[in-house]
Amino acid sequence: MSTQTARKDAPSTSKGRATRDRIVAAAADLMYRHGAAGTSTPALRDAAGVSSSQIYHYFADKDDLTRAVIAFQTQAILANQTPLLAKLDSLNALNAWRDVVIDAAREHGGTGGCPLGSLSSELSDHNPQARTALAASFTAWAAAIREGLLGMVGNGTLRPETDTDRLALALLAAVQGGLLLAQAQHTTGALEAALDTVIAHIHDQATPR
Amino acid sequence: MSTQTARKDAPSTSKGRATRDRIVAAAADLMYRHGAAGTSTPALRDAAGVSSSQIYHYFADKDDLTRAVIAFQTQAILANQTPLLAKLDSLNALNAWRDVVIDAAREHGGTGGCPLGSLSSELSDHNPQARTALAASFTAWAAAIREGLLGMVGNGTLRPETDTDRLALALLAAVQGGLLLAQAQHTTGALEAALDTVIAHIHDQATPR
Protein backbone atom coordinates (compact mmCIF):
# COMPACT_ATOMS: atom_id res chain seq x y z
CA MET A 1 0.00 0.00 0.00
CA SER A 2 1.24 3.48 -0.81
CA THR A 3 2.58 5.63 1.99
CA GLN A 4 1.90 8.76 -0.11
CA THR A 5 -1.00 10.85 1.09
CA ALA A 6 -3.41 11.90 -1.62
CA ARG A 7 -6.33 14.01 -0.43
CA LYS A 8 -9.18 15.83 -2.08
CA ASP A 9 -10.29 19.26 -0.88
CA ALA A 10 -13.52 19.39 1.11
CA PRO A 11 -16.56 20.09 -1.08
CA SER A 12 -17.46 23.79 -1.30
CA THR A 13 -21.25 23.39 -1.66
CA SER A 14 -23.75 21.98 0.86
CA LYS A 15 -24.95 19.53 -1.79
CA GLY A 16 -21.37 18.37 -2.29
CA ARG A 17 -20.87 17.98 1.44
CA ALA A 18 -24.09 15.97 1.72
CA THR A 19 -23.00 13.60 -1.06
CA ARG A 20 -19.55 13.19 0.49
CA ASP A 21 -21.12 12.55 3.92
CA ARG A 22 -23.43 9.92 2.42
CA ILE A 23 -20.47 8.13 0.83
CA VAL A 24 -18.49 8.18 4.09
CA ALA A 25 -21.43 6.87 6.16
CA ALA A 26 -22.03 4.04 3.67
CA ALA A 27 -18.30 3.21 3.56
CA ALA A 28 -18.14 3.21 7.39
CA ASP A 29 -21.03 0.74 7.54
CA LEU A 30 -19.49 -1.53 4.88
CA MET A 31 -16.01 -1.42 6.46
CA TYR A 32 -17.52 -2.18 9.89
CA ARG A 33 -19.23 -5.27 8.50
CA HIS A 34 -16.67 -6.48 5.95
CA GLY A 35 -13.39 -4.73 6.78
CA ALA A 36 -11.59 -2.16 4.64
CA ALA A 37 -10.20 -4.82 2.27
CA GLY A 38 -13.68 -6.35 1.95
CA THR A 39 -15.25 -3.05 0.87
CA SER A 40 -15.31 -2.66 -2.92
CA THR A 41 -16.16 0.38 -5.03
CA PRO A 42 -19.21 -1.36 -6.61
CA ALA A 43 -20.59 -2.26 -3.15
CA LEU A 44 -20.03 1.30 -1.94
CA ARG A 45 -21.64 2.72 -5.11
CA ASP A 46 -24.77 0.62 -4.49
CA ALA A 47 -24.90 1.30 -0.74
CA ALA A 48 -24.46 5.07 -1.09
CA GLY A 49 -26.55 5.39 -4.26
CA VAL A 50 -23.80 7.25 -6.11
CA SER A 51 -21.69 6.64 -9.21
CA SER A 52 -18.06 5.51 -9.13
CA SER A 53 -17.04 8.85 -10.63
CA GLN A 54 -18.73 10.64 -7.70
CA ILE A 55 -16.72 8.50 -5.28
CA TYR A 56 -13.49 9.40 -7.07
CA HIS A 57 -14.57 13.04 -7.22
CA TYR A 58 -14.57 13.21 -3.43
CA PHE A 59 -11.80 10.74 -2.57
CA ALA A 60 -8.35 10.48 -4.14
CA ASP A 61 -8.12 6.74 -3.44
CA LYS A 62 -9.16 4.08 -0.97
CA ASP A 63 -6.66 5.26 1.64
CA ASP A 64 -8.23 8.72 1.47
CA LEU A 65 -11.69 7.18 1.93
CA THR A 66 -10.42 4.99 4.79
CA ARG A 67 -9.07 8.05 6.60
CA ALA A 68 -12.47 9.70 6.20
CA VAL A 69 -14.12 6.59 7.69
CA ILE A 70 -11.71 6.64 10.65
CA ALA A 71 -12.55 10.33 11.24
CA PHE A 72 -16.28 9.53 10.94
CA GLN A 73 -16.15 6.63 13.42
CA THR A 74 -13.98 8.61 15.85
CA GLN A 75 -16.47 11.49 15.79
CA ALA A 76 -19.40 9.06 16.25
CA ILE A 77 -17.77 7.39 19.27
CA LEU A 78 -16.71 10.68 20.88
CA ALA A 79 -20.16 12.21 20.24
CA ASN A 80 -21.71 9.17 21.96
CA GLN A 81 -19.26 8.99 24.86
CA THR A 82 -18.20 12.57 25.59
CA PRO A 83 -21.52 13.69 27.14
CA LEU A 84 -21.38 10.71 29.51
CA LEU A 85 -17.67 11.17 30.22
CA ALA A 86 -18.07 14.94 30.70
CA LYS A 87 -20.40 14.35 33.64
CA LEU A 88 -18.30 11.70 35.35
CA ASP A 89 -18.69 13.48 38.66
CA SER A 90 -19.20 10.35 40.76
CA LEU A 91 -18.56 6.63 40.91
CA ASN A 92 -22.22 6.14 39.93
CA ALA A 93 -21.67 8.15 36.75
CA LEU A 94 -18.66 5.95 35.95
CA ASN A 95 -20.88 2.89 36.31
CA ALA A 96 -23.49 4.52 34.03
CA TRP A 97 -20.82 4.93 31.32
CA ARG A 98 -19.84 1.27 31.84
CA ASP A 99 -23.48 0.23 31.39
CA VAL A 100 -23.78 2.16 28.10
CA VAL A 101 -20.63 0.48 26.73
CA ILE A 102 -21.79 -2.99 27.77
CA ASP A 103 -25.41 -2.51 26.62
CA ALA A 104 -24.19 -1.42 23.18
CA ALA A 105 -22.11 -4.60 22.87
CA ARG A 106 -24.98 -6.75 24.16
CA GLU A 107 -27.40 -5.27 21.65
CA HIS A 108 -25.73 -7.19 18.83
CA GLY A 109 -24.70 -10.22 20.88
CA GLY A 110 -21.07 -9.17 21.02
CA THR A 111 -20.60 -9.25 17.23
CA GLY A 112 -19.00 -6.40 15.33
CA GLY A 113 -16.33 -5.39 17.81
CA CYS A 114 -15.27 -1.76 18.04
CA PRO A 115 -15.34 0.05 14.65
CA LEU A 116 -11.97 1.64 15.42
CA GLY A 117 -10.47 -1.45 17.05
CA SER A 118 -11.37 -3.65 14.09
CA LEU A 119 -9.95 -1.17 11.57
CA SER A 120 -6.81 -0.90 13.69
CA SER A 121 -6.34 -4.66 13.79
CA GLU A 122 -6.77 -4.85 10.03
CA LEU A 123 -4.75 -1.80 8.96
CA SER A 124 -2.17 -0.72 11.55
CA ASP A 125 0.65 -3.01 10.43
CA HIS A 126 0.30 -2.26 6.71
CA ASN A 127 -1.08 1.25 6.28
CA PRO A 128 1.02 3.86 8.10
CA GLN A 129 -1.42 6.71 7.34
CA ALA A 130 -4.34 4.76 8.75
CA ARG A 131 -2.27 3.72 11.76
CA THR A 132 -1.36 7.33 12.55
CA ALA A 133 -5.02 8.37 12.26
CA LEU A 134 -6.15 5.47 14.46
CA ALA A 135 -3.47 6.20 17.07
CA ALA A 136 -4.74 9.80 17.22
CA SER A 137 -8.33 8.54 17.56
CA PHE A 138 -7.43 6.27 20.47
CA THR A 139 -5.48 9.14 22.09
CA ALA A 140 -8.54 11.41 21.77
CA TRP A 141 -10.78 8.70 23.25
CA ALA A 142 -8.39 8.14 26.20
CA ALA A 143 -8.24 11.93 26.69
CA ALA A 144 -12.05 12.09 26.89
CA ILE A 145 -12.04 9.34 29.54
CA ARG A 146 -9.24 11.13 31.40
CA GLU A 147 -11.19 14.40 31.38
CA GLY A 148 -14.03 12.59 33.11
CA LEU A 149 -11.70 11.11 35.73
CA LEU A 150 -10.13 14.55 36.26
CA GLY A 151 -13.64 15.85 37.02
CA MET A 152 -13.83 13.22 39.76
CA VAL A 153 -10.47 14.39 41.10
CA GLY A 154 -11.70 18.01 40.89
CA ASN A 155 -14.79 17.38 43.01
CA GLY A 156 -12.93 15.31 45.56
CA THR A 157 -14.34 11.88 44.59
CA LEU A 158 -10.86 10.67 43.63
CA ARG A 159 -7.66 11.50 45.46
CA PRO A 160 -5.50 14.29 43.97
CA GLU A 161 -2.62 11.87 43.37
CA THR A 162 -4.78 9.52 41.21
CA ASP A 163 -2.94 8.62 37.98
CA THR A 164 -5.79 9.56 35.61
CA ASP A 165 -3.61 8.99 32.50
CA ARG A 166 -2.98 5.39 33.47
CA LEU A 167 -6.57 4.70 34.50
CA ALA A 168 -7.93 6.19 31.26
CA LEU A 169 -5.63 3.94 29.21
CA ALA A 170 -6.61 0.95 31.35
CA LEU A 171 -10.32 1.65 30.78
CA LEU A 172 -9.80 2.06 27.03
CA ALA A 173 -7.81 -1.19 26.87
CA ALA A 174 -10.57 -2.91 28.86
CA VAL A 175 -13.13 -1.69 26.31
CA GLN A 176 -10.99 -2.79 23.35
CA GLY A 177 -10.01 -6.18 24.77
CA GLY A 178 -13.52 -6.82 26.06
CA LEU A 179 -15.11 -6.01 22.69
CA LEU A 180 -12.57 -8.16 20.83
CA LEU A 181 -13.27 -11.13 23.12
CA ALA A 182 -17.04 -10.55 22.83
CA GLN A 183 -16.73 -10.93 19.06
CA ALA A 184 -15.33 -14.45 19.46
CA GLN A 185 -17.22 -15.50 22.56
CA HIS A 186 -20.64 -13.97 21.77
CA THR A 187 -20.92 -12.88 25.38
CA THR A 188 -19.95 -9.68 27.14
CA GLY A 189 -18.50 -11.56 30.12
CA ALA A 190 -14.90 -10.52 29.49
CA LEU A 191 -15.92 -6.91 28.75
CA GLU A 192 -17.81 -6.77 32.05
CA ALA A 193 -14.99 -8.45 33.98
CA ALA A 194 -12.41 -6.06 32.53
CA LEU A 195 -14.39 -2.86 33.08
CA ASP A 196 -15.61 -3.93 36.53
CA THR A 197 -12.09 -4.80 37.66
CA VAL A 198 -10.65 -1.44 36.58
CA ILE A 199 -13.65 0.38 38.07
CA ALA A 200 -13.28 -1.60 41.34
CA HIS A 201 -9.68 -0.38 41.45
CA ILE A 202 -10.89 3.20 40.88
CA HIS A 203 -13.38 2.73 43.75
CA ASP A 204 -10.46 1.71 45.95
CA GLN A 205 -8.69 4.94 44.96
CA ALA A 206 -11.71 7.01 45.96
CA THR A 207 -11.50 9.44 48.86
CA PRO A 208 -12.86 7.70 51.98
CA ARG A 209 -16.27 9.14 52.96
CA MET B 1 -18.05 -18.38 3.47
CA SER B 2 -19.24 -21.94 3.91
CA THR B 3 -20.37 -23.11 7.31
CA GLN B 4 -19.72 -26.72 6.27
CA THR B 5 -16.72 -28.30 7.91
CA ALA B 6 -14.40 -30.17 5.61
CA ARG B 7 -11.43 -31.80 7.30
CA LYS B 8 -8.65 -34.08 6.22
CA ASP B 9 -7.47 -36.92 8.41
CA ALA B 10 -4.15 -36.42 10.21
CA PRO B 11 -1.18 -37.82 8.23
CA SER B 12 -0.26 -41.38 9.18
CA THR B 13 3.49 -41.14 8.55
CA SER B 14 6.08 -39.03 10.37
CA LYS B 15 7.17 -37.55 7.02
CA GLY B 16 3.54 -36.61 6.32
CA ARG B 17 3.19 -35.04 9.75
CA ALA B 18 6.41 -33.07 9.25
CA THR B 19 5.19 -31.71 5.90
CA ARG B 20 1.81 -30.80 7.35
CA ASP B 21 3.50 -29.09 10.34
CA ARG B 22 5.73 -27.10 7.97
CA ILE B 23 2.68 -25.91 6.02
CA VAL B 24 0.84 -24.90 9.21
CA ALA B 25 3.86 -23.03 10.61
CA ALA B 26 4.33 -21.14 7.33
CA ALA B 27 0.59 -20.37 7.11
CA ALA B 28 0.59 -19.13 10.73
CA ASP B 29 3.46 -16.77 9.95
CA LEU B 30 1.80 -15.46 6.76
CA MET B 31 -1.60 -15.03 8.45
CA TYR B 32 0.04 -13.21 11.38
CA ARG B 33 1.67 -10.76 9.00
CA HIS B 34 -1.01 -10.42 6.29
CA GLY B 35 -4.24 -11.78 7.77
CA ALA B 36 -6.10 -14.89 6.64
CA ALA B 37 -7.62 -13.13 3.60
CA GLY B 38 -4.16 -11.80 2.67
CA THR B 39 -2.59 -15.29 2.66
CA SER B 40 -2.69 -16.89 -0.80
CA THR B 41 -1.91 -20.44 -1.84
CA PRO B 42 1.07 -19.32 -4.03
CA ALA B 43 2.55 -17.36 -1.11
CA LEU B 44 2.08 -20.33 1.21
CA ARG B 45 3.56 -22.70 -1.39
CA ASP B 46 6.70 -20.53 -1.60
CA ALA B 47 6.98 -19.98 2.16
CA ALA B 48 6.56 -23.67 3.06
CA GLY B 49 8.53 -25.00 0.08
CA VAL B 50 5.74 -27.34 -0.97
CA SER B 51 3.51 -27.74 -4.01
CA SER B 52 -0.14 -26.63 -4.17
CA SER B 53 -1.19 -30.27 -4.46
CA GLN B 54 0.63 -31.03 -1.21
CA ILE B 55 -1.30 -28.22 0.51
CA TYR B 56 -4.60 -29.63 -0.79
CA HIS B 57 -3.48 -33.12 0.20
CA TYR B 58 -3.32 -32.07 3.85
CA PHE B 59 -6.09 -29.44 3.99
CA ALA B 60 -9.60 -29.69 2.56
CA ASP B 61 -9.83 -25.93 2.02
CA LYS B 62 -8.70 -22.60 3.44
CA ASP B 63 -11.10 -22.87 6.41
CA ASP B 64 -9.51 -26.20 7.30
CA LEU B 65 -6.04 -24.60 7.10
CA THR B 66 -7.24 -21.61 9.15
CA ARG B 67 -8.48 -23.91 11.91
CA ALA B 68 -5.08 -25.62 11.93
CA VAL B 69 -3.40 -22.21 12.27
CA ILE B 70 -5.69 -21.27 15.18
CA ALA B 71 -4.79 -24.58 16.89
CA PHE B 72 -1.07 -23.95 16.20
CA GLN B 73 -1.13 -20.40 17.61
CA THR B 74 -3.18 -21.49 20.64
CA GLN B 75 -0.68 -24.23 21.40
CA ALA B 76 2.23 -21.81 20.96
CA ILE B 77 0.72 -19.24 23.33
CA LEU B 78 -0.24 -21.83 25.95
CA ALA B 79 3.18 -23.50 25.70
CA ASN B 80 4.77 -20.09 26.28
CA GLN B 81 2.44 -18.96 29.06
CA THR B 82 1.43 -22.10 30.95
CA PRO B 83 4.81 -22.70 32.64
CA LEU B 84 4.76 -19.10 33.92
CA LEU B 85 1.10 -19.30 34.89
CA ALA B 86 1.52 -22.69 36.55
CA LYS B 87 3.97 -21.19 39.03
CA LEU B 88 1.91 -18.11 39.87
CA ASP B 89 2.47 -18.72 43.57
CA SER B 90 3.02 -15.10 44.51
CA LEU B 91 2.36 -11.53 43.49
CA ASN B 92 5.97 -11.40 42.26
CA ALA B 93 5.32 -14.33 39.93
CA LEU B 94 2.27 -12.49 38.57
CA ASN B 95 4.48 -9.51 37.85
CA ALA B 96 7.01 -11.80 36.13
CA TRP B 97 4.22 -13.04 33.79
CA ARG B 98 3.24 -9.40 33.14
CA ASP B 99 6.86 -8.59 32.23
CA VAL B 100 7.04 -11.46 29.75
CA VAL B 101 3.83 -10.31 28.00
CA ILE B 102 5.00 -6.69 27.82
CA ASP B 103 8.57 -7.54 26.76
CA ALA B 104 7.23 -9.68 23.89
CA ALA B 105 5.13 -6.75 22.65
CA ARG B 106 8.01 -4.30 23.08
CA GLU B 107 10.33 -6.55 21.09
CA HIS B 108 8.53 -5.65 17.86
CA GLY B 109 7.59 -2.10 18.85
CA GLY B 110 3.98 -3.02 19.49
CA THR B 111 3.36 -4.18 15.90
CA GLY B 112 1.69 -7.47 15.08
CA GLY B 113 -0.88 -7.61 17.87
CA CYS B 114 -1.88 -10.97 19.30
CA PRO B 115 -1.94 -13.78 16.68
CA LEU B 116 -5.27 -15.02 18.06
CA GLY B 117 -6.73 -11.56 18.64
CA SER B 118 -5.96 -10.43 15.10
CA LEU B 119 -7.47 -13.59 13.57
CA SER B 120 -10.52 -13.15 15.79
CA SER B 121 -11.02 -9.56 14.71
CA GLU B 122 -10.72 -10.60 11.06
CA LEU B 123 -12.77 -13.81 11.13
CA SER B 124 -15.24 -13.98 14.02
CA ASP B 125 -18.11 -12.16 12.33
CA HIS B 126 -17.90 -14.05 9.04
CA ASN B 127 -16.53 -17.51 9.73
CA PRO B 128 -18.54 -19.43 12.37
CA GLN B 129 -16.09 -22.37 12.46
CA ALA B 130 -13.14 -20.09 13.06
CA ARG B 131 -15.09 -18.10 15.64
CA THR B 132 -15.94 -21.26 17.59
CA ALA B 133 -12.30 -22.37 17.52
CA LEU B 134 -11.09 -18.92 18.61
CA ALA B 135 -13.66 -18.74 21.43
CA ALA B 136 -12.36 -22.11 22.68
CA SER B 137 -8.77 -20.83 22.45
CA PHE B 138 -9.57 -17.75 24.51
CA THR B 139 -11.43 -19.91 27.03
CA ALA B 140 -8.37 -22.17 27.35
CA TRP B 141 -6.10 -19.15 27.78
CA ALA B 142 -8.37 -17.66 30.48
CA ALA B 143 -8.47 -21.08 32.18
CA ALA B 144 -4.65 -21.20 32.27
CA ILE B 145 -4.57 -17.73 33.88
CA ARG B 146 -7.29 -18.80 36.32
CA GLU B 147 -5.31 -21.92 37.28
CA GLY B 148 -2.43 -19.64 38.22
CA LEU B 149 -4.67 -17.40 40.31
CA LEU B 150 -6.18 -20.48 41.99
CA GLY B 151 -2.64 -21.47 42.98
CA MET B 152 -2.36 -18.10 44.73
CA VAL B 153 -5.65 -18.75 46.52
CA GLY B 154 -4.43 -22.24 47.44
CA ASN B 155 -1.25 -20.98 49.09
CA GLY B 156 -3.03 -18.18 50.91
CA THR B 157 -1.67 -15.29 48.83
CA LEU B 158 -5.19 -14.41 47.67
CA ARG B 159 -8.32 -14.59 49.80
CA PRO B 160 -10.51 -17.70 49.37
CA GLU B 161 -13.43 -15.59 48.13
CA THR B 162 -11.37 -14.08 45.26
CA ASP B 163 -13.34 -14.26 42.00
CA THR B 164 -10.60 -15.92 39.95
CA ASP B 165 -12.88 -16.38 36.90
CA ARG B 166 -13.51 -12.66 36.68
CA LEU B 167 -9.88 -11.70 37.30
CA ALA B 168 -8.64 -14.18 34.66
CA LEU B 169 -11.03 -12.69 32.08
CA ALA B 170 -9.99 -9.18 33.10
CA LEU B 171 -6.31 -10.05 32.65
CA LEU B 172 -6.97 -11.65 29.23
CA ALA B 173 -8.99 -8.61 28.12
CA ALA B 174 -6.16 -6.35 29.35
CA VAL B 175 -3.70 -8.35 27.22
CA GLN B 176 -5.96 -8.25 24.15
CA GLY B 177 -6.91 -4.57 24.46
CA GLY B 178 -3.37 -3.57 25.31
CA LEU B 179 -1.89 -5.44 22.33
CA LEU B 180 -4.53 -3.99 19.97
CA LEU B 181 -3.75 -0.45 21.15
CA ALA B 182 0.00 -1.13 20.92
CA GLN B 183 -0.44 -1.99 17.25
CA ALA B 184 -1.86 1.49 16.53
CA GLN B 185 0.14 3.49 19.05
CA HIS B 186 3.53 1.76 18.66
CA THR B 187 3.95 1.89 22.41
CA THR B 188 3.09 -0.58 25.15
CA GLY B 189 1.75 2.20 27.41
CA ALA B 190 -1.87 1.03 27.30
CA LEU B 191 -0.86 -2.63 27.73
CA GLU B 192 1.18 -1.71 30.81
CA ALA B 193 -1.57 0.53 32.21
CA ALA B 194 -4.21 -2.18 31.72
CA LEU B 195 -2.17 -5.05 33.19
CA ASP B 196 -0.82 -2.94 36.06
CA THR B 197 -4.31 -1.73 37.00
CA VAL B 198 -5.77 -5.25 37.11
CA ILE B 199 -2.70 -6.49 39.00
CA ALA B 200 -2.95 -3.58 41.46
CA HIS B 201 -6.54 -4.67 42.09
CA ILE B 202 -5.33 -8.24 42.65
CA HIS B 203 -2.73 -6.87 45.13
CA ASP B 204 -5.57 -5.18 46.99
CA GLN B 205 -7.35 -8.55 47.17
CA ALA B 206 -4.29 -10.21 48.65
CA THR B 207 -4.35 -11.56 52.17
CA PRO B 208 -2.87 -8.92 54.51
CA ARG B 209 0.55 -9.99 55.78
Side-chain angles (χ1 to χ4, degrees):
Chain A
M1 227 172 265
S2 165
T3 57
Q4 295 297 311
T5 308
R7 286 173 198 270
K8 293 268 176 141
D9 291 337
S12 57
T13 68
S14 63
K15 197 183 158 197
R17 282 191 292 276
T19 305
R20 185 184 185 279
D21 288 351
R22 198 164 75 241
I23 296 169
V24 173
D29 178 58
L30 288 169
M31 287 187 187
Y32 183 52
R33 289 189 286 125
H34 308 292
T39 295
S40 67
T41 302
L44 177 56
R45 206 177 52 199
D46 293 350
V50 297
S51 65
S52 296
S53 66
Q54 275 176 299
I55 297 173
Y56 291 112
H57 177 73
Y58 294 107
F59 301 96
D61 53 25
K62 192 167 185 176
D63 282 357
D64 193 19
L65 175 66
T66 302
R67 278 192 300 273
V69 166
I70 294 168
F72 172 91
Q73 295 289 23
T74 304
Q75 202 174 17
I77 288 170
L78 291 179
N80 168 273
Q81 304 238 313
T82 305
L84 285 160
L85 292 167
K87 57 180 187 200
L88 275 199
D89 52 0
S90 66
L91 294 167
N92 281 343
L94 187 61
N95 283 322
W97 168 75
R98 163 221 182 267
D99 289 344
V100 167
V101 171
I102 291 168
D103 287 348
R106 266 202 205 125
E107 220 169 80
H108 39 90
T111 62
C114 168
L116 292 176
S118 300
L119 281 174
S120 180
S121 181
E122 179 184 357
L123 299 172
S124 285
D125 284 349
H126 307 290
N127 185 329
Q129 305 288 340
R131 182 188 78 72
T132 307
L134 286 158
S137 298
F138 288 131
T139 299
W141 192 348
I145 299 172
R146 181 169 169 267
E147 276 303 304
L149 296 174
L150 281 174
M152 292 168 71
V153 172
N155 75 6
T157 305
L158 295 179
R159 295 194 180 103
E161 67 272 22
T162 304
D163 188 342
T164 52
D165 273 325
R166 194 178 79 152
L167 291 176
L169 278 177
L171 284 171
L172 180 57
V175 169
Q176 290 300 321
L179 289 177
L180 185 141
L181 290 168
Q183 231 179 332
Q185 301 187 314
H186 281 190
T187 142
T188 54
L191 179 63
E192 292 173 53
L195 282 173
D196 288 347
T197 302
V198 178
I199 290 173
H201 179 70
I202 294 174
H203 270 253
D204 294 343
Q205 305 263 304
T207 314
R209 302 204 163 247
Chain B
M1 227 171 265
S2 168
T3 58
Q4 297 295 312
T5 308
R7 287 172 198 272
K8 294 268 178 143
D9 290 335
S12 56
T13 67
S14 64
K15 196 182 160 198
R17 283 190 292 275
T19 306
R20 186 184 184 280
D21 289 351
R22 199 164 74 241
I23 296 170
V24 174
D29 178 60
L30 287 171
M31 288 188 186
Y32 183 53
R33 289 189 287 125
H34 307 293
T39 295
S40 67
T41 302
L44 176 57
R45 208 177 51 203
D46 293 351
V50 296
S51 67
S52 296
S53 66
Q54 276 176 298
I55 296 173
Y56 291 111
H57 176 74
Y58 293 108
F59 301 96
D61 53 25
K62 192 166 185 179
D63 281 358
D64 193 22
L65 176 66
T66 303
R67 278 189 302 272
V69 166
I70 293 168
F72 173 90
Q73 295 287 24
T74 304
Q75 203 175 14
I77 287 170
L78 291 179
N80 168 273
Q81 303 238 312
T82 304
L84 283 159
L85 291 167
K87 58 179 186 198
L88 275 199
D89 52 359
S90 65
L91 294 166
N92 280 345
L94 187 60
N95 284 323
W97 169 75
R98 164 221 183 268
D99 290 345
V100 167
V101 171
I102 291 168
D103 287 350
R106 263 200 208 126
E107 219 169 79
H108 37 91
T111 62
C114 168
L116 292 176
S118 300
L119 282 175
S120 181
S121 181
E122 180 184 357
L123 299 172
S124 284
D125 285 348
H126 307 291
N127 187 328
Q129 305 288 341
R131 182 188 79 73
T132 307
L134 286 158
S137 298
F138 288 132
T139 299
W141 193 347
I145 298 174
R146 181 169 168 268
E147 276 304 303
L149 296 174
L150 281 174
M152 292 168 70
V153 172
N155 75 4
T157 305
L158 294 179
R159 295 195 179 101
E161 68 272 23
T162 304
D163 188 342
T164 51
D165 273 323
R166 195 176 78 151
L167 291 176
L169 279 177
L171 285 170
L172 180 58
V175 170
Q176 289 301 322
L179 289 177
L180 186 141
L181 291 168
Q183 231 179 328
Q185 301 189 313
H186 280 191
T187 141
T188 55
L191 179 64
E192 292 172 55
L195 283 173
D196 287 346
T197 302
V198 178
I199 291 172
H201 178 69
I202 294 173
H203 270 254
D204 294 341
Q205 307 263 303
T207 313
R209 305 209 161 246

